[in-house]
Amino acid sequence: MIKIIKDGVKNVFGIDARALSVFRIFIGLILFFDLFVRIFAFTAHYTDLGVMPLSFYFNTYAGESWWSIHTLSSSEYYQIFLFSISFIFSIFLILGYQTKLSTIMSWILLISLHSRNPAVLQGGDVMLRVLLFWAMFLPLNIRYSLDSKFRKVKSDKIIISFGSAGMLLQIAFVYFFSALLKTGNDWFPDGTAIYYALQLDQFATHIGKFVLNFYDLMIGMTYFVYFVELIGPFLLFTPIFFNKTRIWTCFAFFVVLIGMALCMRLGHFPFIGIVAFILFLPNAILNKLSTKIKLLIHKEDYRIYSTNKSYSRAINLVALFFIIYILLWNIQSLGKINAVPDGLDFIAHKTRLDQYWNMFSPFPLKEDGWYIIEGTLENDSKIDLMTGKSVSYTKPEHVASIYSHERWRKYLMNLWDRGFAHHRTYYLQYVCYDWNKDDEIRLEHVKMTFMLEMALPNYEESEIKPTVLEEIDCR
């Protein structure tokens, strides 16, 4: 009986060393490309010349318990230095060089960057930083790394510890608590959530707009997503018919995440999710894949990753504490009980483990639309600074394409929210600066208008309501 229980625990909470190392490579790549995308709005989002100067940042977020080394200086060269260091450690993580140090530094620099400008963040950012947190408890360099090639790295087949359990449980928490927060009738029983989500032109891709033509299909998709998120996390940890249950559950999550990536512009969230579920792939499926992919062949005899060193015991105790803490934090996020003991909230804020998985919860947004940033030049001509064309109040053919990338989309969608109203002036000031620093014809005045369009049931068309949010004279 004891052996059966031990084998069950190994299966449920263990991570195959090959999966863990593939995870490291892809997480490093996501970190690298995330930094690369941010470069295109580097001045706008992370310097005093942009939308979040430090004086405004400290006034706005003075009450938060976050910390950020990115706020120690407003110098553009200082930010370039930090970005450069982040790039270096992301490359080291991909290669598996000085892997433990690279993981820790990547996590520190990432949460620091996130805290520098929260207005551009989305769910994928939260998921990336919590996965990096748990990665610090795991031997990511165990396979396919420079560390394992040039150093004596213990190369076990199965990694099992409170760190591995914490990583897997964290991934499950994302979807389970997201399902619990989906309390609107659009998810269940109506099944119309995906219909409304794909009506949001700021998100929908061309494939998403095509799928929008199939109403009954979207109802089935809604139920599928909802119940995969609700039931899937339990199936991932069931020891009953373990291999088949785990494989089919992972497949269901892959379908959900690939569907998200194809139908909606959600930044790197779906890709992080896909990479995360690699960790759940059981040893049996990886052994079968190894017949096709020689790199996945295990050369070592079966051993369990464990050690009796006091250091390892201490790390496991820390991991156990955070498993309990994050579970309580997510229970508290449901808003029904104060689960985290008084005075311990600061731990989540300092480590940026503060998480709230409210993706399209309690129901998808109903308010959609697009922006017209009308600029008046010194020669009295007018231009839409969003498109670079003459001002037109006609709806763009593909609204999602007017945003240069995900960071600007998320930031501008936030500006429609009343809670971000005080950010609007700083955005328009940046627009003035960005135009006037290069163009010979000076920008004199800029007006920000949101063309509000509601998502309505049964394919009804909404009246479009222009709403002027802010306007300023350029200095």
Side-chain angles (χ1 to χ4, degrees):
M1 178 61 73
I2 294 176
K3 185 180 184 303
I4 293 174
I5 293 173
K6 283 184 176 180
D7 288 341
V9 170
K10 287 188 295 188
N11 283 334
V12 169
F13 293 111
I15 300 175
D16 188 284
R18 296 164 293 184
L20 186 62
S21 298
V22 171
F23 168 83
R24 184 204 76 240
I25 294 168
F26 280 109
I27 281 294
L29 287 168
I30 289 172
L31 270 173
F32 182 90
F33 284 107
D34 177 50
L35 289 165
F36 180 75
V37 169
R38 291 177 192 268
I39 286 177
F40 292 96
F42 173 79
T43 300
H45 293 166
Y46 303 107
T47 74
D48 273 1
L49 296 173
V51 300
M52 187 76 71
L54 285 181
S55 57
F56 176 56
Y57 172 86
F58 287 123
N59 287 333
T60 304
Y61 299 105
E64 300 293 345
S65 300
W66 306 327
W67 60 271
S68 173
I69 58 177
H70 287 74
T71 63
L72 296 179
S73 172
S74 60
S75 166
E76 192 166 355
Y77 294 107
Y78 176 69
Q79 300 299 323
I80 291 172
F81 169 74
L82 292 178
F83 264 72
S84 300
I85 297 298
S86 297
F87 269 115
I88 290 170
F89 281 116
S90 71
I91 294 170
F92 283 178
L93 193 59
I94 295 167
L95 299 176
Y97 176 69
Q98 296 287 349
T99 309
K100 183 65 72 176
L101 174 64
S102 299
T103 306
I104 293 171
M105 291 304 300
S106 292
W107 174 71
I108 289 172
L109 289 164
L110 185 69
I111 64 176
S112 173
L113 182 65
H114 286 181
S115 297
R116 173 61 180 90
N117 189 351
V120 301
L121 302 181
Q122 45 105 319
D125 296 304
V126 182
M127 191 165 186
L128 182 57
R129 69 182 184 231
V130 299
L131 292 184
L132 265 181
F133 173 83
W134 284 109
M136 294 189 294
F137 292 90
L138 297 168
L140 300 184
N141 60 350
I142 202 164
R143 296 289 297 272
Y144 322 136
S145 68
L146 293 180
D147 286 345
S148 65
K149 185 174 181 62
F150 298 116
R151 300 179 182 185
K152 291 182 178 180
V153 176
K154 186 177 179 181
S155 187
D156 303 315
K157 282 189 174 183
I158 302 295
I159 312 304
I160 181 166
S161 64
F162 282 116
S164 66
M167 174 68 88
L168 298 179
L169 286 168
Q170 172 67 85
I171 297 166
F173 289 164
V174 172
Y175 299 96
F176 178 64
F177 285 98
S178 174
L180 293 184
L181 289 165
K182 289 178 168 67
T183 56
N185 288 342
D186 294 346
W187 285 102
F188 189 83
D190 295 351
T192 54
I194 288 179
Y195 162 79
Y196 283 111
L198 294 181
Q199 289 235 29
L200 300 174
D201 293 315
Q202 296 182 87
F203 284 111
T205 64
H206 291 292
I207 294 176
K209 300 308 285 185
F210 174 75
V211 172
L212 189 58
N213 294 305
F214 303 94
Y215 190 81
D216 290 340
L217 172 64
M218 289 184 291
I219 290 178
M221 290 167 64
T222 299
Y223 290 147
F224 180 75
V225 170
Y226 178 72
F227 285 107
V228 166
E229 288 189 351
L230 185 65
I231 300 172
F234 293 99
L235 296 178
L236 288 169
F237 296 100
T238 180
I240 302 171
F241 303 113
F242 174 76
N243 286 328
K244 289 185 178 179
T245 305
R246 175 70 69 89
I247 291 167
W248 280 107
T249 305
C250 285
F251 178 75
F253 276 107
F254 284 139
V255 169
V256 169
L257 291 161
I258 292 170
M260 285 183 183
L262 290 175
C263 293
M264 305 193 78
R265 297 194 178 201
L266 299 173
H268 51 0
F269 178 83
F271 305 104
I272 297 169
I274 290 168
V275 170
F277 275 100
I278 292 173
L279 297 174
F280 282 97
L281 294 179
N283 187 266
I285 191 67
L286 290 171
N287 288 339
K288 288 184 179 180
L289 287 174
S290 68
T291 62
K292 306 288 185 182
I293 308 172
K294 300 301 182 185
L295 189 65
L296 294 177
I297 295 176
H298 269 318
K299 297 180 181 179
E300 297 77 24
D301 293 330
Y302 180 82
R303 287 176 292 161
I304 298 300
Y305 178 79
S306 62
T307 177
N308 292 322
K309 294 180 180 179
S310 58
Y311 172 78
S312 181
R313 287 200 297 268
I315 293 298
N316 269 305
L317 286 174
V318 172
L320 176 59
F321 167 80
F322 277 105
I323 290 173
I324 298 169
Y325 183 85
I326 291 171
L327 173 60
L328 294 176
W329 181 275
N330 277 288
I331 291 171
Q332 183 170 286
S333 74
L334 301 176
K336 298 185 183 299
I337 61 172
N338 186 25
V340 177
D342 293 340
L344 293 184
D345 284 8
F346 78 94
I347 295 175
H349 295 299
K350 294 298 183 185
T351 58
R352 292 316 311 265
L353 291 172
D354 46 328
Q355 50 195 273
Y356 183 50
W357 306 111
N358 62 333
M359 295 85 77
F360 299 102
S361 301
F363 44 75
L365 292 171
K366 301 297 192 299
E367 294 181 343
D368 191 29
W370 69 97
Y371 281 99
I372 296 173
I373 309 299
E374 181 180 324
T376 303
L377 305 179
E378 61 182 351
N379 62 4
D380 291 330
S381 61
K382 296 184 184 297
I383 185 172
D384 183 355
L385 298 166
M386 283 291 291
T387 62
K389 301 176 182 178
S390 58
V391 176
S392 171
Y393 288 84
T394 303
K395 183 177 179 178
E397 184 176 355
H398 192 231
V399 172
S401 298
I402 68 176
Y403 302 105
S404 56
H405 56 75
E406 166 64 17
R407 298 298 160 196
W408 275 121
R409 184 197 65 78
K410 183 61 180 180
Y411 176 76
L412 287 168
M413 286 186 72
N414 278 335
L415 293 195
W416 166 243
D417 191 306
R418 291 178 183 175
F420 285 84
H422 55 303
H423 289 249
R424 296 168 186 165
T425 298
Y426 289 91
Y427 168 66
L428 295 186
Q429 287 175 352
Y430 169 74
V431 169
C432 291
Y433 159 78
D434 189 50
W435 178 278
N436 289 331
K437 68 180 172 62
D438 295 323
D439 208 282
E440 294 181 359
I441 304 176
R442 181 175 171 77
L443 181 64
E444 298 283 356
H445 185 84
V446 62
K447 179 171 70 174
M448 182 183 195
T449 303
F450 187 72
M451 307 295 288
L452 176 63
E453 182 179 26
M454 301 298 295
L456 299 177
N458 303 317
Y459 297 99
E460 296 175 25
E461 292 190 7
S462 166
E463 177 187 357
I464 297 172
K465 298 179 181 179
T467 306
V468 177
L469 300 181
E470 190 74 47
E471 57 182 313
I472 65 168
D473 292 321
C474 298
R475 302 175 194 173

